[in-house]
Amino acid sequence: MGQLVLSKPYYILSLDGGGSLGVYTLGVLVEIERMLDKPLHEVFDLTFGTSTGSIIASMLALGDDVETTIHDRYFEIAPDVMSRWLPSSKTAALERHADEVFGEKKFDEFLIGIGIVGTHLEYNRPIVFKNTVDQSHGSAGSFLPGFGCTISEAVISSCAAYPVFKKKLVQTSNHGDRVVIDGGFVANNPTLFAITDALGPLGISPDDIRVLSIGTGNYPSKTRIVSRVSARLSPLQTFMTLLKTGSNTIEELRTLIFGDIRTVRIDDVFADVNYRTDFVEADSEKLKKIFQLGRKSFESREQELREFFEARA
């Protein structure tokens, strides 16, 4: 992809991280795709994704449809990866799936603008893989799409929820070697990064920006049996708290700072104990139920979304 098309209005899709609970995100997106009756890369101009959101955002930005391709692949990936006990096994399964889905594709193959959020471990700061120099906030002369990395490498980096997964060593073409972990540590909700690109280097007027921000839902915590591997499981609740607190904080800041930008945020709360879960959920039947919750969240916002997408209907 060369330069970004600066449409008016300019539609942005922001997808939170949340492990296998990305099935909720898919439930929302499936219904939006049905409502608009067109592939979503024809609807959005820019998409940002963190962790599991980067998987969905990348497939969507490559032109895959949600209801069949992304849905089916995701329901293969999530249970397989999350059913593994060891961080090395989880990472190996994720790498295998990422290679099957993305192969050696690089960032110039995306059909729309994209940002994949990771965390640069050494400097404790964000690292955002982007596909066009139009999104550069400086050093445009040395910009390389995705830092020269493959899509697979960027997605694995964004999903590296250490210590549940292994850290990812990324060998960039223009910034040397970097150790990257899950983007949820810096921006589980990547909306502010996306808006900053739009307002900054892309030069979009606030009045022309439309943001759809989708979380992974909020559920009662899952109680896990104490066992020999409890030491490996103990970070789960802490990490889930970090993810949701981070997402909610970003949403609060977005409202305060960019309240004039038209935004729809979908990230509902489900208090029923039958929905107890966490981001390493591997039960396919539970994941199917959570997917349906995403569809219900769409139903409750359908009229608002029809009006939101009126310019692209």
Side-chain angles (χ1 to χ4, degrees), residues 79-251:
D80 183 40
V81 171
M82 295 307 187
S83 64
R84 315 296 174 124
W85 283 103
L86 298 174
S88 58
S89 301
K90 277 186 167 63
T91 300
L94 176 62
E95 290 174 343
R96 175 171 52 80
H97 284 290
D99 288 343
E100 290 174 357
V101 172
F102 303 113
E104 293 299 314
K105 291 180 180 178
K106 291 203 168 186
F107 276 64
D108 57 1
E109 297 191 46
F110 284 121
L111 303 177
I112 60 174
I114 194 168
I116 294 175
V117 180
T119 302
H120 188 314
L121 184 59
E122 182 179 0
Y123 297 131
N124 297 314
R125 61 182 298 169
I127 174 173
V128 185
F129 301 82
K130 303 178 183 182
N131 62 326
T132 75
V133 69
D134 297 347
Q135 298 166 264
S136 174
H137 291 263
S139 302
S142 63
F143 178 87
L144 282 176
F147 301 106
C149 297
T150 65
I151 298 171
S152 176
E153 289 171 324
V155 166
I156 292 167
S157 300
S158 184
C159 294
Y162 180 79
V164 181
F165 286 75
K166 291 174 62 179
K167 307 167 196 173
K168 175 66 175 175
L169 175 63
V170 176
Q171 297 175 315
T172 72
S173 299
N174 54 348
H175 291 283
D177 294 351
R178 296 183 173 188
V179 177
V180 184
I181 58 174
D182 196 289
F185 286 106
V186 290
N188 195 57
N189 173 351
T191 303
L192 290 184
F193 283 104
I195 292 175
T196 301
D197 272 14
L199 291 174
L202 294 175
I204 309 296
S205 166
D207 292 339
D208 291 327
I209 296 174
R210 305 287 184 269
V211 180
L212 174 60
S213 174
I214 307 178
T216 57
N218 299 268
Y219 316 91
S221 300
K222 188 170 188 175
T223 303
R224 293 184 177 272
I225 300 172
V226 177
S227 68
R228 293 180 302 171
V229 294
S230 60
R232 283 192 293 275
L233 294 176
S234 60
L236 291 182
Q237 187 57 48
T238 300
F239 191 70
M240 281 294 291
T241 301
L242 171 68
L243 295 184
K244 298 315 298 184
T245 302
S247 289
N248 293 337
T249 299
I250 292 295
E251 178 59 12

